[in-house]
Amino acid sequence: MAIVLHNYWRSGTSYRTRIALNLKGLDYRQVTLDLRTGAQGSPAFRALSPQGLVPALEVDGTVLTQSPAILEWLEERYPEPPLLPKEPTERAIVRAMAAIIGCDIHPLNNLRVLKALKGDLSASQEQVNAWIARWIGDGFAALEQYIARHGHGFAYGDAPTLVDCYLVPQVYSAERFGVDLAPYPRVVAAAEQARRLPAFIAAHPDNQPDAD
């Protein structure tokens, strides 16, 4: 089965998708789109992804979009190694932790929003950085408590789960924008644990074919 990932090296949603693909041990070909030049808005890409957003995953003639749906599909289609616990309540907790990032941090700090802050609201870079830090801080403060309750080396339990697929790219983004992570030692420790694994190393933005 041929798998093609349309993505951008520094996109957090693309990063989390690469991690999941790597953890599942899947081979895939990358097609890169430079979000800075607006390549994602081309008619050819919008024919695949109507929103013009990355990632998009082509699998045997079907195109999957939205990284949460893609990661859930990967888990259902390739259940080993598992990225969700077996017990329903535990699965719900993992999904909730991932959603803190996927729903409440990342969407507020993605490229479209940051461009709108600068272009539509004339925000300065200092104001944009404060905006970024605010939403990362709110989410990481909650995750710090979840990891204290449920983490055992990784964000949840003692092996990588969906949470780590979301967490590592978000920590990368926080570092990139100079967010103070000192108040979130458990978040940082869980991310560092995951980043040591080959699947995470291979998915790192600097290791992608379109990286600057």
Side-chain angles (χ1 to χ4, degrees):
M1 179 174 59
I3 299 176
V4 180
L5 176 65
H6 299 261
N7 77 146
Y8 173 60
W9 66 286
R10 208 160 54 188
S11 153
T13 52
S14 297
Y15 189 177
R16 71 175 69 137
T17 303
R18 293 193 301 265
I19 291 170
L21 285 163
N22 293 344
L23 286 169
K24 295 296 185 180
L26 298 173
D27 292 325
Y28 57 96
R29 177 171 65 88
Q30 292 195 47
V31 174
T32 61
L33 299 104
D34 193 335
L35 304 189
R36 297 166 296 186
T37 65
Q40 71 277 20
S42 71
F45 184 62
R46 280 192 176 272
L48 293 174
S49 176
Q51 278 188 292
L53 299 175
V54 294
L57 194 72
E58 283 191 88
V59 186
D60 289 346
T62 298
V63 180
L64 305 175
T65 60
Q66 290 290 342
S67 62
I70 293 171
L71 268 61
E72 290 280 353
W73 177 84
L74 287 170
E75 180 69 1
E76 292 178 7
R77 178 66 178 79
Y78 303 97
E80 296 297 331
L83 298 180
L84 285 169
K86 291 183 178 180
E87 201 276 320
T89 301
E90 293 183 1
R91 293 165 77 90
I93 293 170
V94 167
R95 287 186 170 113
M97 292 173 70
I100 289 172
I101 296 169
C103 299
D104 297 329
I105 300 178
H106 179 269
L108 292 167
N109 291 338
N110 68 22
L111 184 61
R112 293 183 302 162
V113 170
L114 301 185
K115 282 185 174 180
L117 290 173
K118 288 183 176 182
D120 298 346
L121 301 178
S122 301
S124 66
Q125 188 60 51
E126 182 179 358
Q127 289 172 316
V128 170
N129 289 345
W131 171 273
I132 291 168
R134 171 186 175 180
W135 301 115
I136 290 177
D138 282 359
F140 279 7
L143 283 170
E144 186 74 8
Q145 296 184 52
Y146 274 104
I147 295 171
R149 297 172 192 168
H150 305 290
H152 298 284
F154 292 90
Y156 187 99
D158 58 2
T161 66
L162 283 182
V163 184
D164 303 284
C165 297
Y166 283 76
L167 180 64
V168 166
Q170 195 60 63
V171 169
Y172 168 83
S173 178
E175 293 169 340
R176 177 183 163 212
F177 287 104
V179 176
D180 181 14
L181 296 179
Y184 321 112
R186 293 182 178 88
V187 166
V188 172
E192 287 300 321
Q193 176 80 352
R195 288 201 281 202
R196 297 188 185 102
L197 299 180
F200 288 79
I201 294 169
H204 192 282
D206 291 349
N207 296 326
Q208 304 317 304
D210 56 331
D212 287 348

